[in-house]
Amino acid sequence: MRFADIGLSDELLKAVTEAGYDEPTPIQAAAIPQVQMMRDLIAIAQTGTGKTASFVLPMIDVLANGRARARMPRSLILEPTRELAAQVAENFEKYGKYHKLSMALLIGGVQMGDQVKALEKGVDVLIATPGRLMDLFERGKILLTGCEMLVIDEADRMLDMGFIPDIEHICTKLPTTRQTLLFSATMPPPIKKLADKFLSNPKYIEVARPATANTNIEQFLVNVTPMKKREVLRDLIRSEKASNAIIFCNRKTTVRELNTSLQRHGLRSGEIHGDIDQATRQKQLEAFKNGDIDFLVASDVAARGLDVKGVSHVFNFDAPWHPDDYVHRIGRTGRAGAKGKAFTFVTKADEEAIENIEKLIGNKIVRLGKVEAPAAEKDEKAPAKRGRKAAAPKEKAEKPVEAKAPRTEKPVAEKPVRVKSEPKPAPEAVVGDEGWNGPMPGFLSVGFGS
Ligand code: AMP
């Protein structure tokens, strides 16, 4: 199937062709016609499947007719993090360049004044994180009664971040006759409940998890002792001739220390994690996208869902604790048909995590290097004998805090309730006929027509 076969306008087809795409991905082929028919939709799909365009493209055509009124956005897209919201905005710019639609991005961590001005002019598309949206809503700056399309993206991530009550609240402020599209990588019970409550006779679409199904990513485990990790990483970067890579760590301090260490060794690297302010995070990301730096050391929270083209390698400097995070991490490479490699460092302490990952992806991962007696792990247990004080308690894992911003996002996001559900591998592409049964900081409002 080609894009031309799914009834998009000529302007959109031109923009899609210029973006370099001929064929819709499975989620796009399945979802776009449903959105065009104004159906509610539940789509089980992750980032990397092309899901963003599956709602952005038909939304542009649907919204092409009609005019925005002051403070009354015509459509609303809810995203769990600022980065994802910004990425969706980029998609609107890319595909909407031949339309005269206006858009506003409401995210925490940037000045509210310009966002309010944009809203007052009237916007066709409002992309927001729930906290900032609620804030402006409570201040009477937004009316949601004219909002005819609602997209709840990354619903399971919203759940992780404690946003579901906000979303429920927002849903009650929109007209009941609206069209609602819900995207989620998994369908834990609270998300199903949300769908049952706020969607009307939805079409159900499910596509395969990209990373587990993605044969473009070669995956390796690397046995290593904690003390040797940095050295092994530098060796791998050299031997792999890694042109660029995202390097994941489980803790913010590790991100910081590793970045400093890489820079000391002459590598062009940067870092992103939840403690870094939004403007700096965005700058680091841009530097990585532009090739000003080659290596981005990152935490899960900051890097989840990021869409950077041409990432040749992912290194898991720390094996992730949650198998789902593994899938998200390695999915940063091998995107849009390109080849990629993912190396995961494994210490003795990580064996259980690796077992869970292999269970989830349904495969044994190739293991490199022999299992060494872990010198550092021995050291950690030995200090008492040598009269040293017990090791300082380790820093806690980073919590998902992107939504946190100076009074803008709801405090609940600062103490997220991590409700993890074990995702089930999905079949290739399932469409249910009967519906559900079971420019960054500073870039705010853009008229993206030419
Ligand atoms: P997403 O799942 O929305 O994060 O998209 C993942 C990546 O796929 C992005 O880099 C998109 O630009 C790219 N993409 C979207 N649609 C297509 C398509 N039809 N063909 C190839 N790549 C696509």
Side-chain angles (χ1 to χ4, degrees):
M1 186 192 268
R2 299 175 68 82
F3 271 113
D5 304 325
I6 45 176
L8 297 172
S9 67
D10 290 346
E11 292 89 347
L12 262 187
L13 285 178
K14 196 167 164 208
V16 168
T17 307
E18 284 171 16
Y21 308 139
D22 301 326
E23 287 188 1
T25 63
I27 181 77
Q28 291 163 1
I32 292 173
Q34 301 304 323
V35 184
Q36 288 167 328
M37 285 189 279
M38 313 303 286
R39 285 285 300 262
D40 279 9
L41 182 74
I42 295 174
I44 305 298
Q46 294 195 322
T47 50
T49 54
K51 75 172 165 69
T52 314
S54 80
F55 59 85
V56 169
L57 291 174
M59 275 179 83
I60 291 173
D61 267 349
V62 169
L63 293 168
N65 302 311
R67 263 191 80 220
R69 288 192 285 161
R71 290 190 295 151
M72 291 179 75
R74 297 173 61 209
S75 65
L76 171 64
I77 299 170
L78 293 173
E79 292 290 333
T81 68
R82 305 166 198 168
E83 278 84 3
L84 285 169
Q87 253 171 229
V88 173
E90 281 174 12
N91 270 255
F92 265 102
E93 282 196 307
K94 180 163 70 176
Y95 301 125
K97 61 183 180 182
Y98 297 114
H99 285 78
K100 288 195 190 316
L101 295 173
S102 59
M103 162 176 79
L105 183 60
L106 297 192
I107 52 177
V110 293
Q111 288 288 319
M112 219 184 264
D114 292 342
Q115 298 181 343
V116 171
K117 266 189 223 149
L119 282 169
E120 276 166 4
K121 278 194 210 149
V123 292
D124 297 297
V125 184
L126 180 62
I127 305 163
T129 48
R132 177 57 67 103
L133 179 74
M134 288 292 291
D135 199 353
L136 285 167
F137 184 81
E138 278 158 16
R139 290 165 195 237
K141 305 288 184 197
I142 309 176
L143 286 170
L144 293 174
T145 44
C147 196
E148 282 157 13
M149 285 183 96
L150 170 68
V151 179
I152 305 168
D153 195 18
E154 304 256 337
D156 51 351
R157 183 104 171 86
M158 299 274 199
L159 176 67
D160 282 356
M161 297 179 74
F163 277 143
I164 297 301
D166 281 352
I167 291 174
E168 293 204 350
H169 194 69
I170 292 165
C171 282
T172 61
K173 305 292 171 201
L174 271 73
T176 47
T177 52
R178 68 171 186 270
Q179 182 182 14
T180 309
L181 318 175
L182 184 143
F183 289 81
S184 194
T186 58
M187 188 53 80
I191 300 298
K192 182 174 182 318
K193 224 169 112 197
L194 182 82
D196 287 343
K197 196 164 164 193
F198 292 108
L199 274 71
S200 149
N201 189 26
K203 195 86 177 173
Y204 181 80
I205 296 173
E206 190 168 348
V207 296
R209 302 173 71 85
T212 52
N214 192 342
T215 48
N216 287 335
I217 308 170
E218 276 187 85
Q219 301 171 50
F220 303 95
L221 300 176
V222 183
N223 288 322
V224 66
T225 56
M227 296 298 278
K228 288 268 175 70
K229 279 185 175 182
R230 291 184 192 175
E231 195 185 323
V232 173
L233 176 67
R234 291 194 302 273
D235 284 352
L236 265 176
I237 286 173
R238 258 193 306 272
S239 62
E240 278 291 309
K241 298 190 175 63
S243 52
N244 63 4
I246 302 183
I247 304 164
F248 285 96
C249 308
N250 290 350
R251 297 181 171 89
K252 285 177 277 191
T253 24
T254 321
V255 171
R256 275 191 295 265
E257 287 166 9
L258 179 60
N259 182 32
T260 311
S261 157
L262 289 173
Q263 288 175 349
R264 246 194 343 255
H265 281 85
L267 294 162
R268 300 191 309 161
S269 65
E271 62 185 64
I272 52 169
H273 55 74
D275 275 358
I276 294 178
D277 68 78
Q278 177 63 10
T280 314
R281 262 154 81 166
Q282 208 58 51
K283 252 191 228 148
Q284 294 278 289
L285 257 182
E286 286 306 315
F288 185 60
K289 283 186 183 174
N290 299 337
D292 294 337
I293 54 172
D294 304 316
F295 304 100
L296 188 63
V297 190
S299 65
D300 289 296
V301 166
R304 191 150 167 165
L306 288 182
D307 182 21
V308 182
K309 293 239 161 50
V311 175
S312 71
H313 288 72
V314 163
F315 295 101
N316 289 321
F317 189 77
D318 297 313
W321 292 311
H322 298 285
D324 245 6
D325 286 336
Y326 176 81
V327 175
H328 283 283
R329 287 181 181 188
I330 71 163
R332 301 311 101 212
T333 182
R335 289 173 86 75
K339 295 256 179 239
K341 280 187 178 178
F343 290 85
T344 301
F345 287 2
V346 185
T347 67
K348 258 199 158 173
D350 299 320
E351 290 302 341
E352 196 185 329
I354 298 299
E355 220 174 273
N356 290 334
I357 289 166
E358 290 182 329
K359 224 183 274 167
L360 174 73
I361 64 171
N363 267 322
K364 281 268 172 214
I365 307 170
V366 176
R367 217 176 249 258
L368 309 174
K370 58 181 189 312
V371 186
E372 291 178 49
E377 284 169 0
K378 275 188 210 149
D379 282 349
E380 270 174 25
K381 284 176 196 149
K385 275 191 198 157
R386 281 183 248 141
R388 274 199 259 141
K389 280 192 184 157
K394 283 183 182 164
E395 186 200 8
K396 274 202 189 147
E398 187 184 6
K399 295 256 172 87
V401 289
E402 287 100 320
K404 180 179 147 194
R407 166 45 250 151
T408 53
E409 306 295 333
K410 282 249 145 179
V412 68
E414 294 172 39
K415 281 194 191 145
V417 191
R418 200 165 168 95
V419 187
K420 273 266 161 192
S421 72
E422 194 69 16
K424 292 191 191 83
E428 189 37 51
V430 179
V431 182
D433 270 326
E434 256 107 55
W436 171 244
N437 55 5
M440 313 309 18
F443 152 73
L444 300 160
S445 173
V446 186
F448 51 97
S450 57

